[in-house]
Amino acid sequence: MSGILYLCATPIGNLEDMTMRAVRILKEVDLIAAEDTRNSIKLLNHFEIHTPMTSYHEFNKYEKGRYLVGLLLEGKNIALITDAGTPGISDPGEELVRMAHEAGVTVTALPGACAAVNALVLSGLPTRRFCFEAFLPADKKERREVLEELKEETRTIVLYEAPHRLLRTLQELFEELGDRSLTVVRELTKKHETVFRTTLSAAITYYMQNEPKGECVLVLAGEDREDIRKREQEDWCAVPLAEHMEHYISRGMAQKEAMKAVAADRGVSKREIYAMLLKDNEMEK
């Protein structure tokens, strides 16, 4: 029988957030795969965990991943930990999980701290629907594409950012998305944890005068659905009525159905569309 891959969440700042189950599993497994062994050894020493450890990170995730899956297939139990938080969230752990599933290895997760979720619930912004973007791509083209996608994202948006890139990212978000409600959460669970409720424009002004410190989570309000509808209506209203009608009629709609669809697009009544069409016909005569 193959072993089990345990995804063990670790504290994101406060060591008291380590769960009793995580400590037990880390003591019981045959091997711990850690993103940074130099960082993780401090955690293991604190909880008197003496299990052997190996590195598993972005630059060896494929080669080391195959090695770890081989050990799992031999019956070894392995725990995966990241520098802080839940493995697989914005780190190479997702690749190992995929490889383990493909090999038929059992994978289970031990719940615990996650910076994205902590920041979201602290933000004061809607939490029912949200999207997590982690760090914006470094590649300029890909970064622009992601920002373009976020323009009409109606869910609350959660992003990670390092302090030395924070101001630039806020400026890009403001330029692409316009002004939005924003909560900047930093130093989560630590002594100097701060929850800064503001707007994109005000945050830019603030951080131009105050140097950002500590890892940050940005929780950004999604686009208002009504604003999206208004923009769409404005776009349709700029299209000649006859052309708008032809858009639907050419797709097989009857004239009455097309009028109804055009009215919905423009945010007016079907009666108004009918009156406008009559007026256009009279003017042509």
Side-chain angles (χ1 to χ4, degrees):
M1 294 179 63
S2 65
I4 298 174
L5 175 62
Y6 294 92
L7 309 178
C8 294
T10 55
I12 55 178
N14 192 321
L15 290 179
E16 291 180 3
D17 293 332
M18 188 74 167
T19 69
M20 294 169 60
R21 184 183 174 204
V23 172
R24 176 177 63 80
I25 291 297
L26 289 174
K27 287 182 177 180
E28 292 178 355
V29 293
D30 300 292
L31 182 67
I32 296 172
E35 187 175 10
D36 186 338
T37 55
R38 294 167 301 178
N39 181 64
S40 296
I41 193 65
K42 300 172 187 175
L43 177 75
L44 301 190
N45 286 340
H46 180 82
F47 290 102
E48 299 182 352
I49 298 168
H50 306 295
T51 306
M53 186 166 47
T54 188
S55 65
Y56 174 81
H57 49 71
E58 183 65 30
F59 303 105
N60 72 354
K61 61 183 180 182
Y62 298 112
E63 182 181 356
K64 181 58 75 70
R66 289 189 289 270
Y67 169 73
L68 293 174
V69 169
L71 293 179
L72 287 162
L73 290 173
E74 292 175 5
K76 303 292 186 183
N77 292 322
I78 299 175
L80 177 67
I81 59 175
T82 185
D83 280 350
T86 301
I89 300 296
S90 188
D91 78 14
E94 63 178 329
E95 183 62 30
L96 181 58
V97 172
R98 182 189 64 78
M99 295 170 74
H101 280 306
E102 290 179 353
V105 171
T106 299
V107 182
T108 189
L110 280 62
C114 175
V117 174
N118 273 44
L120 176 66
V121 298
L122 284 172
S123 70
L125 291 170
T127 60
R128 188 178 70 85
R129 300 172 63 250
F130 68 95
C131 69
F132 174 59
E133 284 292 336
F135 291 92
L136 289 174
D139 179 78
K140 288 183 178 180
K141 182 181 178 182
E142 189 180 355
R143 190 180 183 94
R144 198 179 312 115
E145 289 173 350
V146 171
L147 289 170
E148 188 67 30
E149 291 174 1
L150 292 177
K151 279 185 179 180
E152 295 192 356
E153 175 58 70
T154 58
R155 296 171 295 179
T156 300
I157 301 164
V158 182
L159 300 161
Y160 288 161
E161 194 49 278
H164 65 280
R165 293 193 301 262
L166 178 63
L167 184 57
R168 172 197 164 196
T169 296
L170 291 173
Q171 290 169 334
E172 287 181 318
L173 289 168
F174 179 76
E175 290 169 6
E176 294 294 332
L177 280 62
D179 210 4
R180 301 271 187 96
S181 294
L182 167 74
T183 301
V184 181
V185 186
R186 51 180 294 278
E187 296 293 270
L188 275 161
T189 76
K190 299 176 184 177
K191 182 179 180 180
H192 299 293
E193 174 182 283
T194 58
V195 180
F196 180 26
R197 297 192 65 196
T198 180
T199 62
L200 275 172
S201 59
I204 291 169
T205 301
Y206 177 81
Y207 287 115
M208 287 180 71
Q209 301 169 0
N210 301 273
E211 182 183 359
K213 294 180 181 179
E215 297 297 317
C216 300
V217 184
L218 309 180
V219 187
L220 189 63
E223 176 69 299
D224 187 273
R225 289 173 184 268
E226 188 58 35
D227 289 342
I228 294 175
R229 278 194 289 269
K230 286 179 180 177
R231 283 201 304 272
E232 291 173 345
Q233 288 170 2
E234 289 171 359
D235 290 342
W236 277 118
C237 288
V239 176
L241 186 56
E243 185 179 324
H244 197 168
M245 285 289 293
E246 181 58 28
H247 171 77
Y248 289 110
I249 291 173
S250 65
R251 286 163 173 71
M253 276 192 183
Q255 188 172 33
K256 286 186 177 179
E257 292 177 326
M259 287 170 59
K260 185 177 180 180
V262 168
D265 287 343
R266 295 180 177 237
V268 298
S269 68
K270 181 180 172 182
R271 182 177 296 179
E272 288 180 70
I273 297 299
Y274 180 70
M276 290 166 67
L277 288 171
L278 280 179
K279 184 178 180 181
D280 288 350
N281 288 335
E282 289 175 0
M283 289 178 67
E284 288 178 4
K285 293 177 182 179

